[in-house]
Amino acid sequence: MSTIGSDEPASGQAGLPLPWLAEPLRQTLATRRGHALLIHGPGAVGQFELALALAQAWLCEQTSLALLERPCGACAACRLVAARSHPDLLVLVPEALRESLGWSGDAGEGEDERESSKKKPSKDIRIEAIRAAIAFATTTSARGRGKLIVVHPAERMNPAAANAFLKTLEEPAGDSRFLLCSAAADALAATIRSRCQDVALIVPPPALAEAWLAARGVAEPGVLLAGCGGRPQEALDWAESGVDATAWRALPGRVARGDASALRGWPLARVVDALQKLCHDAAALACGAQPRYFPAASLSSGAGVPSLLAWNRELTRLAVDVEHPWSADLAVESLVERSREALKTPRSAAREGEGLSLNSGR
Ligand SMILES: [Zn+2]
């Protein structure tokens, strides 16, 4: 599986929202000519933004520029893509993501129905949306440069939708191209993956990501970036939801004191993720290695590796079940208490395989 690098400076293309996508965009335009691309990689590194930039480049009408220099950002087609109203671009995203991505008008399957019944917005891409996309793909291009369908995140196609989509990939309509975005490509059916050309994104160079975060007002961006495993859009999400570098740095100490207020109000998935990272770093420190997610000075050493391994196993089991409708406050208190135990258990007192049972409040 080839990896598209992202360590060269931006050049040429206009309107790229994420500077580290310049080189992946150029490489993809130069080397990927298939009718279906799968843009994948770790979460929050710009899969969706790259798909839109590719769509804009292919639809761009500034033909005095070479393809590798597009999108121009200024022609009528580029402006229509930027305004999210290009007639040859269809973006499929789950209802639950439409607002945050600003694609509320597209693929409105069941919208009225949902409005009237006040159902929770779906996290899936449903078969109705795929059927609409297939119909869209088979009509003639309105502006003559082909049709583009972006599916994000592709792993959210439910089984019926994925089946219908597979048939379209097997027998593509004339001048339509599909851009599938995924942060969990392993969750996609192998039959779909095998019919797509591969575009693998990696986390951007830290200097580029930190400059991008700093330009958005994030203080000490390196601390949050490390906390997010190098994924800048996630670091920005954290900053915008009130998790700053000071709070992140204080987290290990507060958890070690059993202070659940450090994590209260966070989505449960983020709580479990943060505790897994703390567990990882505590174990790294106990083994004499460098921590990865927290500044070394914010961590206290002394926890025994067997205790941390047992804790890690519990967190791993919980991580697959975080969508469960738990009582969030009870779960956080229970998790922090368990974490405090694990962090204070010294090497001599813990035995391999030992672990407390977790009362998660279910
Ligand atoms: Zn253009």
Side-chain angles (χ1 to χ4, degrees):
M1 189 177 285
S2 65
T3 297
I4 300 278
S6 56
D7 50 0
E8 286 178 31
S11 66
Q13 297 94 350
L16 257 184
L18 305 174
W20 57 88
L21 295 181
E23 185 52 23
L25 174 62
R26 196 190 63 76
Q27 285 189 30
T28 306
L29 287 172
T31 60
R32 306 292 198 268
R33 297 191 172 81
H35 73 281
L37 304 189
L38 172 59
I39 306 169
H40 63 94
V45 293
Q47 285 92 325
F48 183 61
E49 289 78 3
L50 180 60
L52 290 183
L54 284 165
Q56 195 175 26
W58 283 320
L59 294 169
C60 177
E61 294 165 6
Q62 186 49 268
T63 50
S64 67
L65 293 174
L67 177 63
L68 299 193
E69 295 168 322
R70 296 181 219 156
C72 75
C75 71
C78 280
R79 289 203 304 273
L80 283 167
V81 172
R84 315 199 152 185
S85 54
H86 196 295
D88 294 325
L89 172 62
L90 182 69
V91 174
L92 299 187
V93 294
E95 283 175 26
L97 284 182
R98 279 186 206 155
E99 202 176 322
S100 64
L101 293 170
W103 287 91
S104 50
D106 260 340
E109 33 102 20
E111 193 76 30
D112 294 340
E113 195 184 315
R114 185 171 73 75
E115 281 301 311
S116 61
S117 63
K118 300 287 180 213
K119 273 197 297 191
K120 233 177 150 182
S122 171
K123 290 182 176 177
D124 288 341
I125 295 172
R126 294 185 290 195
I127 191 164
E128 294 85 350
I130 296 298
R131 285 197 186 116
I134 294 167
F136 173 84
T138 50
T139 56
T140 310
S141 164
R143 294 185 69 92
R145 302 194 69 80
K147 315 211 47 145
L148 270 299
I149 295 108
V150 173
V151 185
H152 169 80
E155 68 272 14
R156 295 277 183 83
M157 285 188 281
N158 66 24
N163 243 334
F165 188 69
L166 181 61
K167 291 196 179 76
T168 307
L169 283 184
E170 284 167 339
E171 299 160 31
D175 59 355
S176 55
R177 301 177 92 160
F178 295 88
L179 293 162
L180 280 67
C181 309
S182 181
D186 289 350
L188 277 169
T191 43
I192 287 183
R193 287 207 309 270
S194 68
R195 282 168 177 81
C196 295
Q197 270 190 306
D198 191 56
V199 178
L201 287 178
I202 54 176
V203 293
L208 212 52
E210 286 180 34
W212 180 79
L213 288 166
R216 276 148 191 80
V218 177
E220 297 185 82
V223 174
L224 283 194
L225 194 65
C228 294
R231 303 184 308 188
Q233 286 170 299
E234 188 177 347
L236 185 62
D237 275 354
W238 285 16
E240 287 175 346
S241 65
V243 181
D244 60 13
T246 306
W248 185 249
R249 199 187 280 114
L251 194 67
R254 294 179 71 182
V255 171
R257 291 193 298 277
D259 176 4
S261 69
L263 296 161
R264 203 166 283 137
W266 290 24
L268 210 47
R270 190 190 283 174
V271 170
V272 173
D273 177 63
L275 294 176
Q276 283 183 299
K277 287 169 175 168
L278 177 51
C279 185
H280 170 278
D281 279 6
L285 212 63
C287 298
Q290 281 298 309
R292 181 174 169 199
Y293 303 104
F294 291 93
S298 70
L299 297 157
S300 54
S301 56
V305 172
S307 153
L308 292 168
L309 288 176
W311 179 33
N312 186 52
R313 280 194 294 273
E314 290 169 32
L315 289 169
T316 304
R317 280 197 297 273
L318 288 167
V320 296
D321 203 19
V322 287
E323 298 285 331
H324 194 281
W326 298 4
S327 159
D329 283 354
L330 272 178
V332 169
E333 268 174 39
S334 167
L335 282 167
V336 169
E337 178 53 26
R338 174 69 187 97
S339 305
R340 189 185 67 80
E341 287 287 333
L343 284 169
K344 78 170 188 187
T345 307
R347 206 167 304 237
S348 53
R351 292 190 308 275
E352 174 61 44
E354 186 179 59
L356 300 178
S357 70
L358 181 70
N359 174 10
S360 63
R362 278 195 255 186

